[in-house]
Amino acid sequence: MYPRREQPRRVDSRVRARHHWGMNSNESTRQFLNGIRKGTVIGLSGALCRVESGDLTTDWIQWFVPCAGETIEWLAPSIGEGVMLLCPSGDPAQAVALRGFYTEDFESPSLDPNKHIRRYRDGALVEYDFAAHILNVDLPAGATVNVTAPDAVNINTKTANVKADKVTLDADVEVTRSMVVKGPFSFENGMSGKSGASGGPAAVIVGTVAVSDDVIAGGKSSAHHSHIEQGDGKPVSEPI
């Protein structure tokens, strides 16, 4: 008699499902745990950063910026800055760093809900108070502001105050309204003018005028001119 042929052992489909579910569960847990993680920037290289999150250290990855198309922005993160690691499919190799929450190393510069503040690494501060409607820009010692506009710069305001040790205007300047100079006024390359539309003298000076050379009035030299004698005791002629 031939030995009885052993039938293939059948595995209950529920057992296979439980085994498959267990593998998927482990992978899902891994993806879930790695999908979003808090971390700290520990290195910078060009437009890439390296982030440490618990026992995980990323390779060089990108960080989020507000825009990176035809309109583009650049602001590198700080070493020690807190970020969120966003890892597609839970894969840290594809991670990107999302910046934007305060830490003990980088605390909030203000607690005032009425202010928008940006403070830079060198201490420069840009602050807008939208309750008081005041914009303050405070730059550190040695700072410079450069504005380049090939066509025009237009400033519209009620009062403009400029306080400086020296102001240099390298331009043809036109003043369309009155001007009062309270300090000494000097010029080095001549001066000319005319009376206004209402007529009257072109210049009125209260006080003494000292001239080192000459004054020409009506084409006549004040320092070098002659008169024709009209006779003894009579007025002389006008300057000739």
Side-chain angles (χ1 to χ4, degrees):
M1 180 180 289
Y2 295 103
R4 185 177 179 182
R5 185 177 180 183
E6 186 174 351
Q7 296 296 321
R9 184 178 179 183
R10 293 186 178 183
V11 179
D12 194 317
S13 61
R14 290 173 295 180
V15 175
R16 289 199 302 267
R18 284 196 297 270
H19 178 70
H20 182 68
W21 180 87
M23 294 179 61
N24 286 345
S25 176
N26 292 337
E27 178 64 14
S28 296
T29 300
R30 183 194 67 80
Q31 292 178 347
F32 175 77
L33 292 176
N34 284 337
I36 302 177
R37 302 176 61 131
K38 274 190 173 183
T40 303
V41 176
I42 61 172
L44 293 172
S45 178
L48 300 175
C49 67
R50 180 167 279 166
V51 175
E52 185 176 74
S53 174
D55 58 355
L56 170 68
T57 299
T58 70
D59 199 352
W60 296 108
I61 62 174
Q62 295 190 59
W63 62 80
F64 271 94
V65 293
C67 50
E70 290 182 348
T71 298
I72 194 165
E73 186 167 319
W74 164 260
L75 179 63
S78 302
I79 300 298
E81 182 173 347
V83 296
M84 279 288 189
L85 276 179
L86 304 183
C87 307
S89 301
D91 182 7
Q94 303 181 57
V96 289
L98 177 63
R99 308 157 63 184
F101 57 89
Y102 303 118
T103 63
E104 292 183 355
D105 293 333
F106 300 101
E107 297 181 345
S108 167
S110 174
L111 297 178
D112 189 338
N114 290 318
K115 291 184 178 180
H116 177 210
I117 296 175
R118 172 164 286 189
R119 187 180 64 204
Y120 292 89
R121 185 179 293 121
D122 63 351
L125 190 74
V126 179
E127 173 187 289
Y128 182 66
D129 186 327
F130 36 85
H133 314 299
I134 297 175
L135 175 65
N136 290 317
V137 179
D138 188 2
L139 303 182
T144 299
V145 176
N146 295 315
V147 177
T148 300
D151 189 19
V153 175
N154 301 308
I155 299 175
N156 298 296
T157 186
K158 182 178 180 181
T159 302
N161 300 304
V162 178
K163 293 184 179 180
D165 293 335
K166 182 180 180 180
V167 176
T168 299
L169 299 176
D170 184 8
D172 295 322
V173 179
E174 180 178 335
V175 179
T176 59
R177 297 175 63 178
S178 62
M179 182 172 66
V180 176
V181 179
K182 294 186 176 180
F185 176 77
S186 63
F187 56 92
E188 296 182 354
N189 198 27
M191 180 174 67
S192 63
K194 62 181 181 179
S195 60
S198 60
V204 176
I205 298 175
V206 178
T208 301
V209 176
V211 180
S212 63
D213 188 1
D214 198 356
V215 174
I216 307 298
K220 308 298 182 179
S221 167
S222 295
H224 308 284
H225 66 268
S226 301
H227 294 272
I228 298 176
E229 186 176 352
Q230 303 286 334
D232 292 340
K234 293 183 179 180
V236 297
S237 68
E238 293 183 356
I240 59 173

